[in-house]
Coordinates of all heavy atoms in Angstrom, one line a residue:
M7 N 106.9 128.8 81.1 CA 106.7 127.3 81.3 C 107.9 126.6 80.9 O 108.6 126.9 79.9 CB 105.4 126.9 80.5 CG 105.1 125.5 80.6 SD 104.0 124.8 81.8 CE 102.6 125.7 81.9
S8 N 108.3 125.5 81.6 CA 109.5 124.7 81.2 C 109.2 123.7 80.1 O 108.1 123.5 79.7 CB 110.0 124.0 82.5 OG 109.0 123.1 83.0
Q9 N 110.2 123.1 79.7 CA 110.2 122.1 78.7 C 109.5 120.8 79.2 O 109.5 120.5 80.4 CB 111.6 121.8 78.2 CG 112.3 122.9 77.5 CD 111.6 123.3 76.2 OE1 111.3 122.4 75.4 NE2 111.4 124.6 76.0
P10 N 109.0 119.9 78.3 CA 108.5 118.6 78.7 C 109.5 117.8 79.4 O 110.7 117.9 79.2 CB 108.1 118.0 77.4 CG 107.9 119.1 76.5 CD 108.9 120.2 76.9
I11 N 109.1 116.9 80.3 CA 109.9 116.1 81.1 C 109.7 114.6 80.8 O 108.5 114.2 80.7 CB 109.7 116.3 82.6 CG1 109.8 117.7 83.0 CG2 110.6 115.4 83.5 CD1 111.1 118.3 83.0
K12 N 110.7 113.9 80.5 CA 110.6 112.4 80.2 C 111.3 111.7 81.3 O 112.5 112.0 81.6 CB 111.1 112.1 78.9 CG 110.4 112.7 77.7 CD 111.0 112.3 76.4 CE 110.3 112.9 75.2 NZ 111.0 112.6 73.9
L13 N 110.7 110.7 81.9 CA 111.3 109.8 82.9 C 111.1 108.4 82.6 O 110.1 107.9 82.1 CB 110.6 110.1 84.3 CG 110.5 111.5 84.8 CD1 109.7 111.6 86.0 CD2 111.9 112.1 85.0
I14 N 112.1 107.6 83.0 CA 112.0 106.2 83.1 C 112.2 105.9 84.6 O 113.2 106.3 85.2 CB 113.1 105.4 82.3 CG1 113.0 105.8 80.9 CG2 112.9 103.9 82.5 CD1 111.8 105.3 80.1
V15 N 111.2 105.2 85.2 CA 111.3 104.9 86.7 C 111.4 103.4 86.8 O 110.5 102.6 86.4 CB 110.0 105.4 87.4 CG1 110.1 105.1 88.9 CG2 109.9 106.9 87.2
L16 N 112.6 102.9 87.3 CA 112.9 101.5 87.5 C 112.4 101.1 88.8 O 112.8 101.7 89.8 CB 114.3 101.3 87.2 CG 114.9 101.8 85.9 CD1 116.4 101.6 85.8 CD2 114.2 101.1 84.7
V17 N 111.6 100.0 88.9 CA 111.0 99.5 90.1 C 111.3 98.0 90.3 O 111.2 97.3 89.3 CB 109.5 99.7 90.1 CG1 108.8 99.1 91.3 CG2 109.2 101.2 90.0
A18 N 111.7 97.6 91.4 CA 111.9 96.2 91.8 C 111.0 95.9 93.0 O 111.0 96.7 94.0 CB 113.3 95.9 92.0
T19 N 110.3 94.8 92.9 CA 109.5 94.4 94.1 C 110.3 93.3 94.8 O 111.2 92.7 94.3 CB 108.1 93.8 93.7 OG1 108.3 92.6 92.9 CG2 107.4 94.9 92.9
L20 N 109.8 93.0 96.0 CA 110.4 91.9 96.8 C 110.0 90.6 96.0 O 109.1 90.6 95.2 CB 109.7 91.8 98.1 CG 110.1 93.0 99.1 CD1 109.2 93.0 100.3 CD2 111.5 92.9 99.5
P21 N 110.8 89.5 96.1 CA 110.6 88.3 95.3 C 109.1 87.8 95.4 O 108.6 87.7 96.5 CB 111.6 87.3 95.9 CG 112.7 88.2 96.4 CD 112.0 89.4 96.9
G22 N 108.5 87.6 94.3 CA 107.2 87.0 94.2 C 106.1 88.1 94.5 O 104.9 87.7 94.5
R23 N 106.4 89.3 94.5 CA 105.4 90.4 94.8 C 105.1 91.3 93.7 O 104.5 92.3 93.8 CB 105.9 91.2 96.1 CG 106.3 90.3 97.2 CD 105.6 90.2 98.5 NE 104.7 91.1 99.0 CZ 104.8 91.7 100.2 NH1 105.8 91.5 100.9 NH2 103.8 92.5 100.6
G24 N 105.5 90.9 92.5 CA 105.2 91.7 91.3 C 103.7 91.9 91.0 O 103.3 93.0 90.6
A25 N 102.9 91.0 91.4 CA 101.4 91.1 91.2 C 100.9 92.3 92.0 O 100.0 93.0 91.6 CB 100.7 89.8 91.5
E26 N 101.5 92.6 93.2 CA 101.1 93.7 94.0 C 101.4 95.0 93.3 O 100.6 96.0 93.4 CB 101.7 93.6 95.4 CG 101.2 92.4 96.2 CD 101.9 92.2 97.5 OE1 101.7 93.1 98.4 OE2 102.6 91.2 97.6
Q27 N 102.5 95.1 92.6 CA 102.9 96.3 91.9 C 101.9 96.5 90.8 O 101.4 97.6 90.5 CB 104.3 96.2 91.3 CG 104.7 97.3 90.4 CD 104.7 98.6 91.2 OE1 105.5 98.8 92.2 NE2 103.9 99.6 90.8
L28 N 101.5 95.4 90.1 CA 100.6 95.6 89.0 C 99.2 96.1 89.5 O 98.6 97.0 88.9 CB 100.4 94.2 88.3 CG 101.6 93.7 87.5 CD1 101.3 92.3 86.9 CD2 101.9 94.7 86.3
A29 N 98.8 95.5 90.6 CA 97.5 95.9 91.2 C 97.5 97.4 91.6 O 96.6 98.2 91.4 CB 97.1 95.0 92.4
A30 N 98.7 97.8 92.2 CA 98.8 99.2 92.7 C 98.8 100.1 91.5 O 98.2 101.2 91.5 CB 100.1 99.3 93.5
F31 N 99.5 99.7 90.4 CA 99.5 100.6 89.2 C 98.1 100.7 88.6 O 97.7 101.8 88.2 CB 100.4 100.0 88.2 CG 100.4 100.8 86.9 CD1 101.1 102.0 86.8 CD2 99.7 100.4 85.8 CE1 101.1 102.8 85.7 CE2 99.7 101.1 84.6 CZ 100.4 102.3 84.6
E32 N 97.3 99.6 88.5 CA 96.0 99.6 88.0 C 95.1 100.6 88.8 O 94.3 101.3 88.2 CB 95.4 98.2 88.0 CG 96.0 97.3 86.9 CD 95.3 95.9 86.9 OE1 94.3 95.7 87.6 OE2 95.9 95.1 86.3
A33 N 95.3 100.7 90.1 CA 94.5 101.6 90.9 C 94.9 103.0 90.7 O 94.1 104.0 90.7 CB 94.5 101.2 92.4
L34 N 96.2 103.2 90.6 CA 96.8 104.6 90.6 C 96.8 105.2 89.2 O 96.6 106.5 89.1 CB 98.3 104.5 91.1 CG 99.0 105.8 91.4 CD1 98.3 106.6 92.4 CD2 100.4 105.5 91.8
A35 N 97.0 104.5 88.2 CA 97.1 105.0 86.8 C 96.0 106.0 86.4 O 96.3 107.0 85.8 CB 97.3 103.9 85.8
P36 N 94.7 105.6 86.6 CA 93.7 106.6 86.2 C 93.8 107.9 86.9 O 93.5 109.0 86.3 CB 92.4 105.9 86.6 CG 92.7 104.4 86.7 CD 94.1 104.4 87.1
L37 N 94.2 107.9 88.1 CA 94.3 109.2 88.9 C 95.5 110.0 88.3 O 95.3 111.2 88.1 CB 94.6 108.9 90.4 CG 93.5 108.1 91.1 CD1 93.9 107.8 92.5 CD2 92.2 108.9 91.1
V38 N 96.6 109.3 88.0 CA 97.7 110.1 87.5 C 97.5 110.6 86.1 O 97.7 111.7 85.8 CB 99.0 109.2 87.5 CG1 100.2 109.8 86.8 CG2 99.3 108.8 89.0
R39 N 96.9 109.7 85.3 CA 96.6 110.1 83.9 C 95.6 111.3 83.8 O 95.6 112.0 82.8 CB 96.1 108.9 83.1 CG 97.2 107.9 82.8 CD 96.7 106.7 82.1 NE 97.8 105.7 81.9 CZ 97.6 104.4 81.8 NH1 96.4 103.9 82.0 NH2 98.6 103.6 81.6
A40 N 94.8 111.5 84.8 CA 93.9 112.6 84.9 C 94.5 113.9 85.3 O 93.9 115.0 85.2 CB 92.7 112.2 85.8
E41 N 95.7 113.8 85.8 CA 96.4 115.0 86.3 C 96.7 116.0 85.2 O 97.1 115.5 84.1 CB 97.7 114.6 87.1 CG 97.5 113.9 88.3 CD 98.9 113.5 89.0 OE1 99.9 114.3 88.8 OE2 98.9 112.4 89.5
E42 N 96.6 117.3 85.5 CA 97.0 118.2 84.5 C 98.5 118.1 84.1 O 99.3 118.0 85.0 CB 96.7 119.7 85.0 CG 97.0 120.7 84.0 CD 96.5 122.1 84.4 OE1 95.7 122.2 85.4 OE2 97.1 123.1 83.9
G43 N 98.8 118.0 82.9 CA 100.2 118.0 82.4 C 100.7 116.6 82.2 O 101.8 116.4 81.8
C44 N 99.9 115.5 82.6 CA 100.4 114.2 82.4 C 100.2 113.8 80.9 O 99.1 113.8 80.4 CB 99.6 113.2 83.2 SG 100.1 111.4 83.0
L45 N 101.3 113.5 80.2 CA 101.2 113.1 78.8 C 101.3 111.6 78.6 O 100.9 111.1 77.6 CB 102.4 113.8 78.0 CG 102.4 115.4 78.2 CD1 103.6 115.9 77.5 CD2 101.1 116.0 77.6
Q46 N 102.0 110.9 79.5 CA 102.1 109.5 79.4 C 102.4 108.9 80.8 O 103.2 109.5 81.6 CB 103.3 109.1 78.5 CG 103.5 107.6 78.3 CD 104.6 107.3 77.3 OE1 105.4 108.2 76.9 NE2 104.7 106.0 77.0
Y47 N 101.8 107.8 81.1 CA 102.1 107.1 82.4 C 101.8 105.6 82.1 O 100.7 105.2 82.2 CB 101.2 107.6 83.5 CG 101.5 107.3 84.9 CD1 102.6 107.8 85.5 CD2 100.8 106.3 85.6 CE1 102.9 107.5 86.8 CE2 101.1 106.0 86.9 CZ 102.2 106.5 87.5 OH 102.5 106.2 88.8
D48 N 102.8 104.9 81.7 CA 102.7 103.5 81.3 C 103.7 102.6 82.0 O 104.9 102.9 82.1 CB 102.9 103.3 79.8 CG 101.9 104.1 79.0 OD1 100.7 104.0 79.4 OD2 102.2 104.8 78.1
L49 N 103.2 101.5 82.6 CA 104.1 100.5 83.3 C 104.4 99.3 82.3 O 103.5 98.8 81.7 CB 103.4 100.0 84.5 CG 104.2 99.1 85.4 CD1 105.4 99.9 86.1 CD2 103.3 98.5 86.5
H50 N 105.7 98.9 82.3 CA 106.1 97.8 81.5 C 106.8 96.8 82.5 O 107.7 97.2 83.3 CB 107.1 98.2 80.4 CG 106.5 99.2 79.5 ND1 105.9 98.7 78.3 CD2 106.3 100.5 79.5 CE1 105.4 99.8 77.6 NE2 105.7 100.9 78.4
R51 N 106.5 95.5 82.3 CA 107.3 94.5 83.0 C 108.6 94.2 82.3 O 108.6 94.2 81.1 CB 106.4 93.2 83.1 CG 107.0 92.2 84.1 CD 106.3 90.9 84.1 NE 104.9 91.0 84.5 CZ 104.5 90.7 85.7 NH1 105.3 90.3 86.6 NH2 103.2 90.8 86.0
V52 N 109.6 94.0 83.1 CA 110.9 93.7 82.5 C 110.9 92.3 82.0 O 110.4 91.4 82.7 CB 112.1 93.9 83.5 CG1 113.4 93.4 83.0 CG2 112.2 95.4 83.8
A53 N 111.3 92.0 80.8 CA 111.3 90.6 80.2 C 112.0 89.7 81.1 O 113.1 90.0 81.7 CB 111.9 90.6 78.8
D54 N 111.4 88.5 81.3 CA 112.0 87.4 82.1 C 112.2 87.7 83.6 O 113.0 87.0 84.3 CB 113.3 87.0 81.5 CG 113.2 86.5 80.1 OD1 112.2 85.9 79.7 OD2 114.1 86.8 79.2
D55 N 111.5 88.8 84.1 CA 111.6 89.0 85.6 C 110.3 89.6 86.0 O 110.0 90.8 85.9 CB 112.8 90.0 85.9 CG 113.0 90.1 87.4 OD1 112.1 89.7 88.2 OD2 114.1 90.5 87.7
P56 N 109.4 88.8 86.6 CA 108.1 89.3 87.0 C 108.1 90.2 88.2 O 107.0 90.8 88.5 CB 107.4 88.0 87.4 CG 108.4 87.0 87.8 CD 109.6 87.4 86.9
D57 N 109.3 90.5 88.7 CA 109.3 91.4 89.9 C 110.1 92.7 89.6 O 110.4 93.5 90.5 CB 110.0 90.7 91.1 CG 109.2 89.5 91.5 OD1 108.0 89.6 91.6 OD2 109.8 88.5 91.9
R58 N 110.3 93.0 88.3 CA 111.0 94.2 87.9 C 110.1 94.9 86.8 O 109.6 94.3 85.9 CB 112.4 94.0 87.4 CG 113.3 93.6 88.5 CD 114.8 93.4 88.0 NE 115.2 94.6 87.4 CZ 116.0 94.6 86.3 NH1 116.4 93.5 85.7 NH2 116.4 95.7 85.7
F59 N 110.1 96.3 86.9 CA 109.2 97.1 86.0 C 109.9 98.3 85.6 O 110.8 98.8 86.3 CB 107.9 97.4 86.8 CG 107.1 96.2 87.3 CD1 107.4 95.6 88.5 CD2 106.1 95.7 86.5 CE1 106.7 94.5 88.9 CE2 105.4 94.6 86.9 CZ 105.7 94.0 88.1
A60 N 109.5 98.9 84.5 CA 109.9 100.2 84.1 C 108.6 101.0 83.8 O 107.8 100.6 83.1 CB 110.7 100.1 82.8
L61 N 108.6 102.2 84.5 CA 107.4 103.1 84.3 C 107.9 104.2 83.4 O 109.0 104.8 83.7 CB 107.0 103.6 85.7 CG 105.9 104.7 85.7 CD1 104.6 104.0 85.2 CD2 105.7 105.2 87.2
V62 N 107.2 104.4 82.3 CA 107.5 105.5 81.4 C 106.6 106.7 81.7 O 105.3 106.5 81.6 CB 107.4 105.0 79.9 CG1 107.7 106.1 79.0 CG2 108.3 103.8 79.7
E63 N 107.1 107.8 82.0 CA 106.4 109.0 82.3 C 106.8 110.1 81.4 O 108.0 110.3 81.1 CB 106.6 109.4 83.7 CG 106.1 108.4 84.8 CD 106.2 109.0 86.2 OE1 105.9 110.2 86.4 OE2 106.6 108.2 87.1
R64 N 105.8 110.9 80.9 CA 106.1 112.2 80.2 C 105.1 113.2 80.8 O 103.9 113.0 81.0 CB 105.8 112.1 78.7 CG 106.9 111.2 78.0 CD 106.7 111.2 76.5 NE 105.4 111.2 76.0 CZ 104.8 112.1 75.2 NH1 105.4 113.1 74.8 NH2 103.5 111.9 74.8
W65 N 105.7 114.4 81.1 CA 105.0 115.5 81.8 C 105.2 116.7 80.9 O 106.3 116.9 80.4 CB 105.5 115.7 83.2 CG 105.2 114.5 84.0 CD1 106.0 113.4 84.3 CD2 103.9 114.3 84.7 NE1 105.3 112.5 85.0 CE2 104.0 113.0 85.3 CE3 102.8 115.0 84.8 CZ2 103.0 112.4 86.0 CZ3 101.7 114.4 85.6 CH2 101.8 113.2 86.1
A66 N 104.2 117.6 80.9 CA 104.2 118.8 80.0 C 105.3 119.8 80.5 O 105.8 120.5 79.7 CB 102.8 119.4 80.0
S67 N 105.6 119.7 81.8 CA 106.5 120.7 82.4 C 107.0 120.2 83.7 O 106.5 119.3 84.3 CB 105.8 122.0 82.6 OG 104.8 121.9 83.6
A68 N 108.1 120.9 84.2 CA 108.6 120.6 85.5 C 107.5 120.9 86.6 O 107.5 120.2 87.6 CB 109.9 121.4 85.8
E69 N 106.7 121.9 86.4 CA 105.7 122.3 87.3 C 104.6 121.2 87.4 O 104.2 120.9 88.5 CB 105.0 123.6 86.9 CG 106.0 124.8 86.9 CD 106.8 125.0 85.7 OE1 106.7 124.2 84.7 OE2 107.7 125.9 85.7
A70 N 104.3 120.6 86.3 CA 103.3 119.5 86.3 C 103.9 118.3 87.0 O 103.2 117.7 87.8 CB 102.9 119.1 84.9
L71 N 105.1 118.0 86.8 CA 105.8 116.9 87.5 C 105.8 117.2 89.0 O 105.6 116.3 89.9 CB 107.2 116.6 87.0 CG 108.0 115.5 87.7 CD1 107.2 114.2 87.7 CD2 109.4 115.4 87.1
A72 N 106.2 118.4 89.4 CA 106.2 118.7 90.9 C 104.8 118.6 91.5 O 104.7 118.1 92.6 CB 106.7 120.2 91.0
A73 N 103.8 119.0 90.8 CA 102.4 118.9 91.3 C 102.1 117.4 91.5 O 101.4 117.0 92.4 CB 101.4 119.6 90.4
H74 N 102.5 116.6 90.5 CA 102.2 115.1 90.5 C 102.9 114.5 91.8 O 102.3 113.8 92.5 CB 102.8 114.5 89.3 CG 103.0 113.0 89.4 ND1 102.0 112.1 89.5 CD2 104.2 112.3 89.4 CE1 102.5 110.9 89.5 NE2 103.8 111.0 89.5
D75 N 104.2 114.9 92.0 CA 104.9 114.3 93.1 C 104.2 114.7 94.5 O 104.3 113.9 95.4 CB 106.3 114.8 93.1 CG 107.2 114.2 92.0 OD1 106.8 113.1 91.5 OD2 108.2 114.8 91.7
A76 N 103.6 115.8 94.5 CA 103.0 116.3 95.8 C 101.5 115.9 95.9 O 100.9 116.1 97.0 CB 103.1 117.8 95.9
A77 N 100.9 115.3 94.9 CA 99.5 114.9 94.9 C 99.2 113.9 96.0 O 100.0 113.0 96.3 CB 99.1 114.3 93.5
P78 N 98.1 114.1 96.7 CA 97.8 113.2 97.8 C 97.8 111.7 97.5 O 98.3 110.9 98.2 CB 96.4 113.6 98.3 CG 96.3 115.1 97.8 CD 97.1 115.1 96.5
H79 N 97.3 111.4 96.3 CA 97.3 109.9 95.9 C 98.8 109.4 95.7 O 99.0 108.2 95.9 CB 96.5 109.7 94.6 CG 96.8 110.5 93.5 ND1 96.1 111.7 93.2 CD2 97.6 110.4 92.4 CE1 96.6 112.2 92.1 NE2 97.5 111.4 91.6
M80 N 99.7 110.3 95.3 CA 101.1 109.9 95.2 C 101.8 109.7 96.5 O 102.6 108.8 96.7 CB 101.9 110.8 94.3 CG 101.4 110.8 92.8 SD 101.4 109.1 92.1 CE 103.1 108.7 92.2
V81 N 101.5 110.6 97.4 CA 102.0 110.5 98.8 C 101.5 109.2 99.4 O 102.3 108.4 100.0 CB 101.6 111.7 99.6 CG1 102.1 111.5 101.1 CG2 102.3 113.0 99.0
A82 N 100.2 108.9 99.3 CA 99.7 107.7 99.8 C 100.3 106.4 99.2 O 100.6 105.4 99.8 CB 98.2 107.7 99.7
A83 N 100.5 106.5 97.8 CA 101.0 105.4 97.1 C 102.5 105.1 97.6 O 102.9 104.0 97.7 CB 101.0 105.6 95.6
G84 N 103.2 106.2 97.8 CA 104.6 106.0 98.2 C 104.7 105.2 99.5 O 105.5 104.4 99.7
A85 N 103.8 105.5 100.4 CA 103.8 104.8 101.7 C 103.3 103.4 101.5 O 103.9 102.5 102.1 CB 102.8 105.5 102.7
A86 N 102.3 103.1 100.7 CA 101.8 101.8 100.5 C 102.8 100.9 99.7 O 102.9 99.7 100.0 CB 100.5 101.9 99.7
H87 N 103.6 101.5 98.8 CA 104.5 100.7 98.0 C 105.7 100.1 98.9 O 106.2 99.1 98.5 CB 105.2 101.6 96.9 CG 104.2 102.0 95.9 ND1 104.5 103.0 95.0 CD2 103.0 101.5 95.5 CE1 103.5 103.1 94.1 NE2 102.5 102.2 94.5
R88 N 105.9 100.7 100.0 CA 107.0 100.1 100.9 C 106.7 98.7 101.3 O 107.6 97.9 101.6 CB 107.2 101.0 102.1 CG 108.0 102.3 101.7 CD 108.4 103.0 102.9 NE 107.2 103.8 103.2 CZ 107.1 105.1 103.4 NH1 107.8 105.8 103.5 NH2 106.0 105.8 103.5
A89 N 105.5 98.3 101.3 CA 105.1 96.9 101.7 C 105.6 95.9 100.8 O 105.8 94.7 101.2 CB 103.6 96.8 101.9
F90 N 105.7 96.2 99.5 CA 106.1 95.2 98.5 C 107.3 95.5 97.6 O 107.8 94.7 96.9 CB 104.9 94.8 97.6 CG 104.3 96.0 96.9 CD1 104.8 96.5 95.7 CD2 103.1 96.6 97.4 CE1 104.2 97.5 95.0 CE2 102.6 97.7 96.7 CZ 103.1 98.2 95.5
R91 N 107.8 96.7 97.7 CA 109.0 97.1 96.9 C 110.3 96.7 97.6 O 110.4 96.7 98.8 CB 109.0 98.6 96.6 CG 107.8 99.0 95.7 CD 108.3 99.9 94.7 NE 107.3 100.3 93.7 CZ 107.1 101.6 93.3 NH1 107.9 102.5 93.8 NH2 106.2 101.9 92.5
A92 N 111.2 96.3 96.8 CA 112.5 95.9 97.3 C 113.4 97.1 97.7 O 114.3 96.9 98.5 CB 113.3 95.1 96.2
G93 N 113.0 98.3 97.4 CA 113.7 99.5 97.7 C 113.2 100.7 97.0 O 112.2 100.5 96.2
P94 N 113.8 101.8 97.1 CA 113.3 103.0 96.4 C 113.4 102.8 94.9 O 114.3 102.1 94.4 CB 114.3 104.1 96.8 CG 115.0 103.6 98.0 CD 115.0 102.1 97.9
A95 N 112.5 103.4 94.1 CA 112.6 103.4 92.7 C 113.8 104.2 92.2 O 114.2 105.2 92.9 CB 111.3 103.9 92.1
E96 N 114.3 103.8 91.1 CA 115.4 104.6 90.5 C 114.8 105.5 89.4 O 114.2 104.9 88.4 CB 116.5 103.7 89.9 CG 117.6 104.5 89.2 CD 118.6 103.6 88.5 OE1 118.5 102.4 88.6 OE2 119.5 104.2 87.8
V97 N 114.9 106.8 89.5 CA 114.3 107.7 88.5 C 115.4 108.2 87.6 O 116.4 108.8 88.0 CB 113.6 108.9 89.2 CG1 113.0 109.8 88.2 CG2 112.5 108.4 90.2
V98 N 115.2 108.0 86.3 CA 116.1 108.4 85.2 C 115.4 109.4 84.4 O 114.4 109.2 83.8 CB 116.5 107.2 84.4 CG1 117.5 107.6 83.3 CG2 117.1 106.1 85.2
R99 N 116.0 110.6 84.4 CA 115.4 111.7 83.6 C 116.1 111.7 82.2 O 117.3 111.8 82.2 CB 115.5 113.1 84.3 CG 114.9 114.2 83.5 CD 114.9 115.4 84.3 NE 114.4 116.6 83.5 CZ 114.1 117.7 84.0 NH1 114.3 118.0 85.2 NH2 113.7 118.7 83.1
L100 N 115.3 111.7 81.2 CA 115.9 111.7 79.8 C 115.9 113.1 79.2 O 115.1 114.0 79.6 CB 115.0 110.8 78.9 CG 114.8 109.4 79.4 CD1 113.9 108.6 78.4 CD2 116.1 108.7 79.5
V101 N 116.8 113.4 78.3 CA 116.8 114.6 77.6 C 115.6 114.5 76.6 O 115.1 113.5 76.3 CB 118.1 114.9 76.8 CG1 119.3 115.1 77.8 CG2 118.4 113.8 75.8
D102 N 115.1 115.7 76.2 CA 113.8 115.7 75.5 C 113.9 115.1 74.1 O 113.0 114.4 73.7 CB 113.4 117.2 75.3 CG 112.0 117.3 74.7 OD1 111.1 116.5 75.1 OD2 111.8 118.2 73.9
A103 N 115.0 115.2 73.4 CA 115.1 114.7 72.0 C 116.0 113.4 72.0 O 117.0 113.4 72.8 CB 115.7 115.7 71.1
P104 N 115.7 112.5 71.2 CA 116.5 111.3 71.1 C 117.9 111.6 70.5 O 118.0 112.6 69.8 CB 115.8 110.3 70.2 CG 114.8 111.2 69.5 CD 114.5 112.4 70.3
V105 N 118.9 110.8 70.8 CA 120.2 111.0 70.3 C 120.2 110.6 68.8 O 119.7 109.6 68.4 CB 121.2 110.1 71.1 CG1 122.6 110.2 70.4 CG2 121.3 110.5 72.5
E106 N 120.8 111.5 68.0 CA 120.9 111.2 66.6 C 122.2 110.7 66.2 O 123.2 111.3 66.6 CB 120.6 112.5 65.8 CG 119.2 113.1 65.9 CD 118.2 112.4 65.0 OE1 118.6 111.8 64.0 OE2 117.0 112.5 65.3
A107 N 122.3 109.5 65.6 CA 123.6 108.9 65.2 C 124.0 109.7 63.9 O 123.2 110.0 63.1 CB 123.4 107.5 64.9
P108 N 125.3 110.0 63.8 CA 125.8 110.7 62.6 C 125.6 109.8 61.4 O 125.6 108.6 61.4 CB 127.3 110.8 62.9 CG 127.6 110.2 64.2 CD 126.4 109.6 64.8
R109 N 125.3 110.5 60.3 CA 125.0 109.8 59.1 C 126.4 109.6 58.3 O 127.2 110.5 58.3 CB 124.0 110.5 58.2 CG 122.7 110.8 59.0 CD 121.6 110.8 58.0 NE 120.3 111.2 58.7 CZ 119.5 110.4 59.3 NH1 119.8 109.1 59.3 NH2 118.4 110.8 59.8
A110 N 126.5 108.4 57.7 CA 127.8 108.1 57.0 C 127.8 108.8 55.6 O 126.8 109.1 55.1 CB 128.0 106.6 56.9

C-alpha cells in the first residue's frame, strides 16, 4: 500500500457563480467522504473572492485516490462543473510531512 496523499485543489468559478460551486460541494461531499480511503474532503472559500475556492483532500493511498477519481459521482460532477467553473481545477500534491524550519 502506498503512502497517504495530500492535495490542495484550487478552483475558480465564472464571475458571480461561486454559489453554484458551494451547492455542488454540498451535494458531492457526503458521497466522497463515504469513499474508502477518504481522510479529509473540505472546501474553503478564498478570502475576499466569492468565486475562488481551495479544496483540501487527504487520501489513505494512491489507490484510494485513483478509485475516487474514477467513481461515477466524480465523473458526473466533472461534467456538471463545466457549467460554472472558469476552467480546470489546479491540483497541487503536497509532500506528506510539513517542512521543518532549522532551529537556531
Side-chain angles (χ1 to χ4, degrees):
M7 178 92 48
S8 63
Q9 294 295 315
I11 307 291
K12 293 180 183 179
L13 304 173
I14 303 292
V15 181
L16 304 174
V17 174
T19 66
L20 295 166
R23 311 250 337 237
E26 292 174 69
Q27 176 61 60
L28 291 173
F31 178 79
E32 287 180 14
L34 189 60
L37 300 173
V38 173
R39 290 176 179 151
E41 291 178 35
E42 186 173 337
C44 179
L45 304 174
Q46 181 179 9
Y47 193 75
D48 298 314
L49 186 69
H50 299 266
R51 190 184 296 262
V52 171
D54 301 321
D55 189 342
D57 296 323
R58 289 184 55 219
F59 302 86
L61 179 62
V62 180
E63 298 186 38
R64 287 187 321 120
W65 295 92
S67 65
E69 294 83 4
L71 177 58
H74 162 70
D75 289 341
H79 54 268
M80 291 309 298
V81 173
H87 290 165
R88 282 187 277 233
F90 56 83
R91 291 225 179 137
E96 178 184 355
V97 179
V98 179
R99 184 172 172 171
L100 305 176
V101 294
D102 188 40
V105 174
E106 295 279 335
R109 303 210 188 274

